[in-house]
């Protein structure tokens, strides 16, 4: 087992190789992303590509982009995104680092006034990054103008030593043994460090040579644009991570046999047990659902970005709500699913050689980074409350809230489901999800004046986001889908995704009157039939993810199914097996055994 220092150095070597190949091959950001996925290290390349570069693109002037991105693309500098502090992460407007303009020298003085203002968490900050976009309170002419971004050099490009006034280091080991522990999330304190005025990112606002603050004609929320970008990439990441865990658990479930042998015949594949299917197949359906909604979200983000270019800011609130909500719902579901997939694999699911513990350790933090999932869903709730009040004043909602315009019907409609088969009707499913989401949002809005409940808002936000995911799955199935029988399988998975949510959140659907208890039990009956129908193709549906054994990294999820040989082989690779008599026997065990043996002969 590598020490953290060895793990860091090994990862740094891989990352530097990836960066070198990126420059030599003139890779695009997308291609570099694929390379990153192949080396499967959530380390250094993420923050440089995923946040440092986008922050400069989104908040820098043309001139600043030209200057800094030229160096960043060639890896002449390595950047990170330094926003979170020891005392504040979710509350960005509460950050304490200061950037005070000094007109006498045309510089900003960057400073950490308190212990809690120490920058804390930025990936790569601890040992790797030479530069950072640092978020700080802009103060000029004695007035605090709130949080803005500044480019700062942190380390010498000659010998990598921290620059004067900068104290910098790693925040220490983290959850899990692998990837994130190879990452140098850092701590940084600034002691009146001076930077030129032109290192304030000035697309959203400027400070003149005289120190006058000038706000551009763009919404101040563009300051948060980098986070919106990453949140939409994280949805695709979540679908990938979930599909890896499901691939391992389904393949292993088809190999593993326990009980059920008759007259000496073969035991039963655990994947045939109804309990195994009801635990696992919703995750299989979710993996496809998150992939499709991730594709749509990427389109939405691209569309909003293009509109921003022509100063059309109308869809910015929708982009924020969708990226925040989908990042929250998909990462929470994925973390829970990976943990359940470990349990679905029994004891072997806890072995590192299964690939599942590392997958869990790398993906659990996604529930927190890029915005705590609860805080983000409360942002969606805020967006929904605004939309409900706009509908009440006669404004027609658009985009993912367009369904709210159908308020007359959705507030009183009854589900048309009368038979088990009716639950196969996408229109019936969509209407039930729309009615649930709308009624929960309206209930929350009505109660908000009496006793604002974060819980109600949170649950209304979940209902709205789940409606988006179900809707995008249904819309995907309206497209031409290649491959004989593929669309039928995806229709079954769409049914499983939607009906498992009705089962899981039946209280919502019943309390808002969207379904009756009988309709709820028909949904459960339909779900059980769908599990049985998907079972014959379950392995094919995970093979379709087309992961190599290398990428999957799992003795349980091997394509050839040769699980037991792989487990046995992996076991002997463990350093503990380098000697048959373990280190420590002579000092600790032998004296005890000899002593006890002697006593027993007295
Ligand atoms: C190329 C090779 C590699 C590529 C690799 C590809 C993929 C990798 C994928 C994944 C790995 C990713 C990263 C690596 C791992 C970790 C890195 C982690 C980094 C970080 O964690 S960075 C820090 C993240 N921090 C946060 O997210 C903070 C969360 N908090 C906030 O966003 C805000 O504080 C808040 C919660 C939104 C509150 O904002 P605030 O202004 O205080 O108050 P409000 O009153 O609530 O909002 C005012 C107003 O503004 C609207 N608003 C808020 N946010 C946004 C936004 N983002 N966009 C647009 N509009 C926004 C809000 O709706 C309000 O509007 P009103 O009209 O209602 O007034
Ligand atoms: C692996 C990892 C990598 C990271 N990388 C970076 C990076 O590169 N750059 C960077 O700047 N940051 C980074 N971060 C920091 C990350 O962005 C923050 O941890 C995240 O934004 C959450 O903020 P917080 O830690 O202050 O949690 P808090 O906001 O303090 O949340 C703590 C708890 O309080 C709850 N809570 C907070 N506010 C409310 C509210 N208004 N209503 C209800 N409940 C609330 C939350 O739900 C949570 O349960 C990273 C974090 C991790 C784990």
């Amino acid at each position: 087992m590598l020490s953290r220092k060895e793990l860091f150095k090994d990862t740094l070597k891989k990352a530097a190789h990836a960066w070198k190949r990126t420059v030599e091959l003139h890779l695009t950001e997308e291609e570099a992303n694929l390379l990153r996925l192949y080396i499967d290290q959530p380390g250094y390349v993420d923050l440089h590509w995923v946040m440092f570069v986008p922050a400069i693109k989104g908040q820098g002037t043309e001139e600043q982009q030209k200057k800094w991105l030229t160096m960043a693309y060639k890896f002449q500098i390595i950047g990170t995104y330094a926003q979170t502090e020891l005392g504040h992460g979710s509350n960005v407007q509460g950050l304490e680092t200061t950037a005070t303009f000094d007109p006498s020298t045309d510089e900003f003085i960057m400073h950490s006034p308190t212990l809690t203002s120490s920058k804390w968490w930025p990936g790569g900050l601890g040992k790797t990054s030479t530069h950072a976009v640092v978020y700080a309170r802009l103060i000029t002419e004695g007035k605090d103008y709130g949080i803005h971004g500044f480019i700062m050099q942190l380390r010498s490009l000659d010998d990598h030593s921290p620059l004067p006034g900068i104290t910098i280091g790693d925040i220490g080991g983290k959850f899990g043994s692998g990837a994130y522990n190879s990452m140098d999330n850092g701590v940084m304190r600034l002691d009146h460090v001076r930077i030129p005025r032109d290192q304030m990112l000035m697309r959203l606002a400027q400070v003149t040579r005289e120190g006058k603050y000038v706000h551009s004609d763009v919404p101040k929320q563009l300051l948060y644009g980098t986070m919106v970008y990453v949140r939409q990439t994280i949805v695709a990441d979540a679908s990938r991570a979930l599909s890896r865990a499901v691939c391992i658990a389904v393949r292993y479930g088809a190999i593993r046999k326990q009980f059920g042998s008759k007259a000496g015949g073969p035991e039963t594949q655990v994947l045939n047990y109804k309990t195994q299917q009801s635990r696992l197949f919703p995750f299989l359906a979710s993996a496809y659902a998150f992939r499709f909604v991730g594709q749509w979200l990427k389109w939405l983000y691209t569309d909003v970005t293009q509109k921003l270019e022509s100063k059309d800011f109308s869809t910015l609130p929708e982009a924020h709500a969708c990226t925040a909500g989908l990042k929250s719902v998909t990462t929470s579901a994925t973390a829970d699913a990976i943990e359940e997939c470990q349990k679905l694999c029994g004891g072997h699911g806890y072995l590192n050689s299964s690939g599942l513990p590392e997958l869990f350790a790398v993906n659990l933090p996604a529930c927190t980074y890029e915005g705590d999932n609860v805080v983000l869903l409360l942002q969606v709730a805020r967006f929904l409350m605004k939309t409900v009040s706009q509908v009440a004043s006669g404004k027609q909602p658009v985009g993912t809230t367009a369904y709210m315009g159908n308020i007359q019907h959705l507030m009183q409609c009854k589900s048309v489901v009368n038979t088990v088969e009716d639950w196969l009707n996408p229109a019936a499913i969509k209407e039930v999800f729309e009615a649930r989401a709308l009624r929960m949002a309206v209930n929350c809005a009505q109660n908000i004046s009496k006793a604002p409940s974060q819980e109600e808002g949170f649950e209304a936000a979940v209902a709205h986001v789940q409606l988006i995911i179900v809707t995008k799955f249904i819309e995907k199935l309206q497209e031409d889908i290649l491959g004989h029988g593929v669309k039928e399988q995806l229709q079954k998975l769409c049914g499983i995704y939607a009906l498992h949510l009705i089962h899981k959140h039946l209280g919502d659907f019943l309390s808002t009157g969207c379904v009756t208890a009988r309709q709820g039990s028909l949904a459960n009956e339909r779900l059980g039939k769908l599990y049985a129908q998907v079972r014959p193709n379950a392995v094919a549906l995970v093979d379709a993810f087309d992961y190599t054994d290398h990428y999957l990294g799992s003795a349980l999820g091997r394509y050839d199914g040769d699980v037991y040989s792989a487990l046995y082989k992996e076991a002997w690779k463990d350093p503990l097996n380098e000697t048959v008599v373990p280190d420590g026997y002579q000092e600790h065990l032998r004296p005890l055994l000899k002593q006890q043996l002697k006593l027993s002969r007295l």
Side-chain angles (χ1 to χ4, degrees), residues 28 37 81 106 182 211 213 242 283 370 540 600:
T28 65
L37 293 179
Y81 182 90
D106 198 22
S182 69
Y213 180 85
L242 176 54
F283 300 152
E370 290 309 342
S600 70

Side-chain angles (χ1 to χ4, degrees), residues 96-113 134 136-140 150 152 165 190-197 200:
E96 298 174 86
T97 301
T98 56
T100 308
F101 182 64
D102 178 354
S104 67
T105 60
D106 198 22
E107 293 169 318
F108 281 101
I109 303 167
M110 308 298 288
H111 183 59
S112 307
V134 178
R137 315 198 68 81
L138 191 156
I139 298 165
T140 183
F150 300 82
M152 281 191 78
L190 304 171
D191 180 5
H192 302 92
V193 180
R194 288 176 173 269
I195 62 172
R197 176 169 57 91
M200 168 190 172

Side-chain angles (χ1 to χ4, degrees), residues 47 81 83-84 89-90 121-123 185 365 368-369 372 374-375 378 454:
L47 274 303
Y81 182 90
Q83 177 177 293
T84 302
S90 292
W121 272 115
N185 297 90
T368 302
Y369 66 56
D372 167 83
V374 169
V375 168
L378 292 174
Q454 280 194 334

